[in-house]
Amino acid sequence: GQNIDQPTEMTATEGAIVQINCTYQTSGFNGLFWYQQHAGEAPTFLSYNVLDGLEEKGRFSSFLSRSKGYSYLLLKELQMKDSASYLCAVRATDSWGKLQFGAGTQVVVTP
Amino acid sequence: KAGVTQTPRYLIKTRGQQVTLSCSPISGHRSVSWYQQTPGQGLQFLFEYFSETQRNKGNFPGRFSGRQFSNSRSEMNVSTLELGDSALYLCASSLTGRPNADTQYFGPGTRLTVL
């Protein structure tokens, strides 16, 4: 089975940096995804890691350590529009079309 | 390229009824996955279809079923609705759905309310 843990909520001010951690346990790891979901909307793809290390994409970066079962999503230069839920999702080697999601981290950006 | 589309966007049903939801994947995508999202359970995988075949299934009762057509469009059906089936139903498409490739892209979802 799979267990995916991430904090429930984080608050940060506009212009700051926030790091959302995700730990996972899975039998047969085959990639980790981060999605952003605004209230009432569909999750939108942010990043994908399958090898150890940092992937940078504009203001967003994602890091993976497979040996530690750990990932983080780093949001820099926070903007009000970044207020959303951030979902960590893991894909296993035997799972056709299936992602296992964490409960999501609600990020609140304050002025 | 158009994104994943889902119809209807909102639906209200009563207990015991059945419902059919539709999903059209991104053009060229052949894998369609369905998820249920609720405040208590988060996003839970229902099933995945590729080339009109169900390849993977989550832990949901048999009241939840689906199918895929030759043009990759997919439908899911929930029979004998229960109050607990109230949720946002999301479909996601990817090129092949292979475990070692592909990103899933989500549609806007269908908000189902069961009264």
Side-chain angles (χ1 to χ4, degrees), chain A residues 30 35 37 42 91 93 96-97 99, chain B residues 33 35 37 97 99 101-102 104 107:
Chain A
N30 207 4
Y35 285 85
Q37 187 177 27
R91 180 168 60 196
T93 51
W96 293 91
L99 295 178
Chain B
S33 298
Y35 295 85
Q37 187 174 31
D102 297 349
Q104 290 187 4

Side-chain angles (χ1 to χ4, degrees), chain A residues 3-111:
Chain A
N3 291 311
I4 301 169
D5 293 310
Q6 47 181 132
T8 303
E9 185 172 314
M10 303 182 74
T11 301
T13 52
E14 208 172 0
I17 298 173
V18 70
Q19 177 176 313
I20 307 168
N21 295 325
C22 171
T23 58
Y24 64 89
Q25 294 175 309
T26 185
S27 51
F29 174 83
N30 207 4
L32 188 143
F33 296 80
W34 285 96
Y35 285 85
Q36 178 193 61
Q37 187 177 27
H38 286 99
E41 297 182 11
T44 55
F45 170 72
L46 290 178
S47 70
Y48 168 66
N49 295 73
V50 67
L51 300 176
D52 291 350
L54 188 67
E55 293 282 340
E56 296 187 87
K57 200 184 281 188
R59 294 188 299 114
F60 295 173
S61 303
S62 57
F63 172 83
L64 175 68
S65 169
R66 289 172 297 171
S67 62
K68 295 181 179 176
Y70 168 71
S71 172
Y72 68 72
L73 179 70
L74 196 69
L75 284 62
K76 294 176 271 191
E77 300 168 18
L78 279 172
Q79 301 175 9
M80 297 300 291
K81 67 178 182 179
D82 297 330
S83 291
S85 180
Y86 291 84
L87 302 163
C88 171
V90 170
R91 180 168 60 196
T93 51
D94 60 349
S95 61
W96 293 91
K98 174 183 177 181
L99 295 178
Q100 185 77 27
F101 282 85
T105 298
Q106 185 65 42
V107 170
V108 178
V109 181
T110 59

